Amino acid sequence: MSKNTPSTSRRTFLKGAAVMGAGLAASQTAAATPDPLITEVQPWASGLGDGVDATPYGLPIKYENDVIRRNVEWLTADTISSINFTPIHALDGTITPQGCAFERHHSGAIELKKSDYRLMINGLVDRPLVFSYADLERFPRENHVYFCECAANTGMEWAGAQLNGAQFTHGMIHNMEYTGVPLRTILEEAGLDAAGDLKDKWVYVEGADASSNGRSIPMEKALDDCLIAFKANGEALRKEHGYPVRLVVPGWEGNMWVKWIRRIEVTDSPVESREETSKYTDTLADGISRKWTWEMDAKSVVTSPSPQAPITHGKGPLVITGLAWSGRGAITRVDVSKDGGMTWETARLAKPGEKMALTRFYLDTDWDGEEMFLQSRAMDETGYVQPTKTQLREVRGENSVYHNNCIQTWWVRPNGEAENVEVS
Amino acid sequence: APAYAETFGLGRAALPEEIAAWDLDVSPNGTGLPEGSGDVLTGEEVFADQCASCHGDFAEGVDNWPKLAGGWDTLADKDPLKTVGSYWPHLSTTWDYVNRSMPFGNAQSLEPDEVYAIVAYILYSNDLVDDDFVLSQETFASFELPNQDGFIVDDRIETEFSKWVGEPCMTDCKDSVEVTMRAMVLDVTPQEETAGAEAVLKDEEVLVASTEPQ
């Protein structure tokens, strides 16, 4: 995306460095001549920077302009009912910047202002109600960090190694701190006596957009931890993430996180809408399909090194890092293999895993410059161990489309470049 | 129902007209369907006007747009074709989704009779009814799609969890590792100036090591 044209000599040097790996870069930095970036006064150390009125709401510095959402044109018929990808290869920590957090729409990102917003709750409730946006801000609020992973994340990889980069293979995910009102509070405001025994009841939720994205959620989940959220990472939701109000369904497939949510209906049976019959059902090898595969199972990926984040510094100290998450609870451990799964080392979690949230792991290592087959393997608090793609295929075949939480392999070459591969 | 916490007195009563305007979902047993009916031949005309530019004259799909017909007995194939006829379990979903979300870009513009007619035509395109078929609120619930029984409730807990739980192998887990598939061979990843290995060529982005590795 850069508009800058690298000088020929520098480009030539860097191409050499990319090909020859550590040797050139190391000799460059080992030069005995003084570094002019230190010995000469630089403009920024002499002149002035921008005033505080230059940027009322800032974007990243231009040198980070490759840390952006990307789409893959051939995946969908058009860009309206489509997906793009979070640049997870370039991020660290766990909080996803909203501006580059992935989008998935079925009829585009709509513009719905707070004054036009209405939320209806109806069906088997004591008092069908309509709320304005202002009403929602008057209920007691909670804050929680959760990942939202598209059910189709890694779905293009079922039949083989296809897309070359963690952004594309694992980037249908974001992780934000949400502020909102428990869905339980809204349901109680409408009253659930009319629903009778809640064990066999459901809520049907739909958005204000043309696709509506209606989904059925069992009452037990609705009363447990779902949030009617209006803030993410401290500020209002972005338009493309459901402004002004979305549903947060911790640990469950992203499709159920209904954006621009306009209606909640308490029902005595699932609606079996398009998004839970035609889509978001997982076909097994025998042609029978699973429905209501809500939870996202434990998963991880090495984000660096990876195809879009090659090693450019040569051998020696190397930070191997990545993300792990589970829809069934907290991540308790991540193992990393450098030899394609023959041997494993337990990585360091940046902080203890939180339930249904991204967890950052590091393996601080000393790279000998030899090729590596990098893998990561997550474990969650249920004892579940992230499976290989072979293990998943043995149960499901190759046509599940959704819920591919297999172990990913990056083939790192001696020149530091990495490729998405499958290994035996 | 169990006793619940206090209420806050927020919001106001939803009026019947408001609920009727937004509560349009149709359940598998037909609950939620409005009065009306439509036949195959009417559906063919409406489909030609409203749907065929993307979904084809015979619901067979144009370019990458969804195919609504065909694909019978392909669900266990290497590349299954999932359509209303081959895959969808309930006719209610077809009616509901067309009514609320189609045509793409002009949703909620169809009258109930038009939706009945379109759904009748989709059934005809899937060879599931004759060309004199009339779909109505009355005949709806008795209609069964071929793949009605093709779905099971998520069974991962039983079929997968027992296999993938417990202390995993840490050393000598396998004898060798061979590359069996490569993304670079397929070469379908979007190539952008700053994507992938090209990133290291960006003049302002290169970070060189400040010291030689110890």
Side-chain angles (χ1 to χ4, degrees):
Chain A
M1 301 303 287
S2 172
K3 298 282 189 289
N4 298 325
T5 308
S7 71
T8 306
S9 59
R10 189 140 175 93
R11 180 176 280 272
T12 305
F13 161 69
L14 288 163
K15 266 185 178 159
V19 172
M20 301 187 64
L24 269 175
S27 62
Q28 152 89 358
T29 57
T33 53
D35 185 346
L37 282 168
I38 298 171
T39 58
E40 294 172 10
V41 176
Q42 300 298 315
W44 56 83
S46 176
L48 304 174
D50 294 337
V52 295
D53 59 346
T55 314
Y57 197 105
L59 289 170
I61 195 167
K62 61 185 179 183
Y63 309 120
E64 297 295 319
N65 65 4
D66 62 330
V67 186
I68 52 172
R69 296 187 277 233
R70 292 194 172 93
N71 74 314
V72 176
E73 212 173 297
W74 54 264
L75 276 181
T76 50
D78 74 339
T79 57
I80 303 296
S81 180
S82 192
I83 187 86
N84 62 26
F85 299 85
T86 304
I88 56 169
H89 64 289
L91 303 177
D92 211 319
T94 58
I95 295 295
T96 312
Q98 290 197 78
C100 65
F102 88 102
E103 304 167 68
R104 203 290 186 239
H105 317 302
H106 292 79
S107 51
I110 59 166
E111 189 172 290
L112 178 55
K113 62 187 178 192
K114 287 177 182 171
S115 56
D116 288 345
Y117 180 76
R118 298 289 185 273
L119 177 65
M120 180 186 291
I121 178 162
N122 74 310
L124 301 174
V125 295
D126 305 335
R127 298 173 293 280
L129 294 172
V130 171
F131 301 102
S132 66
Y133 179 83
D135 292 335
L136 295 180
E137 283 202 337
R138 298 175 68 187
F139 286 104
R141 288 171 221 166
E142 294 183 6
N143 286 256
H144 299 279
V145 177
Y146 296 121
F147 73 80
C148 173
E149 183 185 18
C150 180
N153 199 21
T154 322
M156 296 84 74
E157 303 292 309
W158 268 113
Q162 183 154 246
L163 287 161
N164 206 34
Q167 178 170 20
F168 301 107
T169 58
H170 290 75
M172 297 180 192
I173 193 166
H174 57 58
N175 192 67
M176 301 188 192
E177 183 195 48
Y178 293 97
T179 301
V181 177
L183 176 55
R184 182 186 188 104
T185 304
I186 303 294
L187 290 165
E188 288 173 351
E189 188 71 18
L192 290 171
D193 287 341
D197 186 353
L198 296 178
K199 279 196 173 63
D200 61 353
K201 296 304 183 294
W202 297 70
V203 296
Y204 182 72
V205 287
E206 66 178 11
D209 63 316
S211 82
S212 93
N213 197 51
R215 288 291 307 250
S216 306
I217 299 175
M219 181 62 80
E220 184 182 8
K221 180 68 173 178
L223 292 175
D224 181 14
D225 56 4
C226 295
L227 275 184
I228 299 286
F230 36 80
K231 295 283 171 71
N233 295 349
E235 61 181 357
L237 298 172
R238 294 293 171 95
K239 171 179 124 175
E240 62 270 31
H241 296 140
Y243 181 93
V245 183
R246 86 173 306 166
L247 188 66
V248 166
V249 190
W252 288 23
E253 59 187 13
N255 177 257
M256 307 177 83
W257 294 46
V258 173
K259 296 186 286 189
W260 315 290
I261 185 170
R262 81 170 191 185
R263 196 170 66 89
I264 301 160
E265 179 181 359
V266 176
T267 63
D268 56 13
S269 62
V271 168
E272 305 242 17
S273 68
R274 187 252 197 180
E275 306 296 332
E276 56 201 11
T277 54
S278 170
K279 307 298 177 187
Y280 308 99
T281 48
D282 314 352
T283 302
L284 303 171
D286 61 2
I288 296 291
S289 303
R290 289 174 175 159
K291 64 178 180 180
W292 306 341
T293 47
W294 299 311
E295 292 91 347
M296 300 305 292
D297 286 322
K299 186 168 175 179
S300 68
V301 65
V302 171
T303 52
S304 179
S306 66
Q308 296 159 286
I311 303 170
T312 57
H313 56 57
K315 62 186 179 183
L318 169 68
V319 174
I320 297 170
T321 188
L323 293 166
W325 61 95
S326 171
R328 299 187 195 261
I331 291 294
T332 52
R333 187 173 121 190
V334 180
D335 297 331
V336 171
S337 175
K338 293 183 268 191
D339 57 14
M342 289 192 287
T343 60
W344 297 84
E345 299 169 70
T346 297
R348 171 170 63 89
L349 303 186
K351 51 183 185 178
E354 294 174 47
K355 285 181 186 296
M356 287 88 85
L358 292 190
T359 298
R360 171 65 57 177
F361 67 86
Y362 297 103
L363 185 72
D364 307 298
T365 194
D366 191 64
W367 185 42
D368 59 9
E370 298 295 312
E371 74 173 10
M372 295 185 284
F373 292 98
L374 282 182
Q375 297 182 335
S376 62
R377 181 177 68 189
M379 295 174 66
D380 70 21
E381 62 184 306
T382 70
Y384 177 94
V385 182
Q386 183 184 359
T388 64
K389 202 187 289 186
T390 303
Q391 288 175 310
L392 283 168
R393 285 178 184 146
E394 280 170 3
V395 179
R396 307 184 194 171
E398 292 185 0
N399 286 323
S400 281
V401 181
Y402 307 107
H403 292 280
N404 185 347
N405 65 319
C406 70
I407 289 172
Q408 172 66 45
T409 307
W410 305 128
W411 183 13
V412 181
R413 312 296 171 71
N415 69 5
E417 291 177 2
E419 181 180 350
N420 174 15
V421 296
E422 283 188 18
V423 295
S424 58
Chain B
Y4 280 93
E6 59 181 319
T7 57
F8 296 88
L10 293 169
R12 51 102 177 152
L15 302 176
E17 298 88 340
E18 294 172 329
I19 294 173
W22 276 9
D23 185 352
L24 303 173
D25 54 82
V26 180
S27 292
N29 65 7
T31 303
L33 278 172
E35 285 182 23
S37 68
D39 59 52
V40 169
L41 293 178
T42 306
E44 183 177 27
E45 288 175 28
V46 182
F47 197 89
D49 284 347
Q50 303 276 354
C51 320
S53 63
C54 294
H55 295 296
D57 289 338
F58 308 99
E60 79 282 15
V62 173
D63 297 333
N64 258 348
W65 296 102
K67 298 168 173 56
L68 308 182
W72 308 283
D73 297 324
T74 65
L75 298 180
D77 292 358
K78 181 167 172 54
D79 293 305
L81 173 55
K82 300 181 183 181
T83 70
V84 172
S86 71
Y87 191 64
W88 291 35
H90 308 296
L91 195 57
S92 57
T93 312
T94 316
W95 203 99
D96 175 76
Y97 185 69
V98 169
N99 182 52
R100 270 194 295 178
S101 299
M102 287 289 136
F104 191 62
N106 190 28
Q108 302 199 67
S109 62
L110 299 168
E111 296 299 324
D113 283 352
E114 293 178 303
V115 179
Y116 277 108
I118 287 171
V119 173
Y121 182 68
I122 292 172
L123 291 176
Y124 173 74
S125 298
N126 277 287
D127 289 340
L128 295 172
V129 297
D130 294 328
D131 62 5
D132 59 355
F133 177 73
V134 181
L135 185 65
S136 70
Q137 188 186 18
E138 290 75 33
T139 61
F140 199 95
S142 61
F143 200 91
E144 294 184 359
L145 288 176
N147 199 41
Q148 176 183 253
D149 299 323
F151 295 81
I152 56 170
V153 175
D154 183 6
D155 63 350
R156 284 176 289 174
I157 294 287
E158 298 83 45
T159 56
E160 299 182 356
F161 272 44
S162 60
K163 295 176 198 267
W164 304 331
V165 70
E167 183 62 29
C169 177
M170 295 298 285
T171 56
D172 300 323
C173 301
K174 48 190 177 185
D175 294 332
S176 65
V177 169
E178 304 291 334
V179 173
T180 55
M181 290 235 194
R182 296 183 53 189
M184 295 287 275
V185 172
L186 209 58
D187 195 23
V188 292
T189 308
Q191 293 300 310
E192 304 197 25
E193 196 177 329
T194 58
E198 283 288 301
V200 299
L201 299 178
K202 280 183 66 184
D203 188 48
E204 69 277 9
E205 285 220 340
V206 172
L207 303 176
V208 290
S210 61
T211 59
E212 282 213 77
Q214 299 301 303

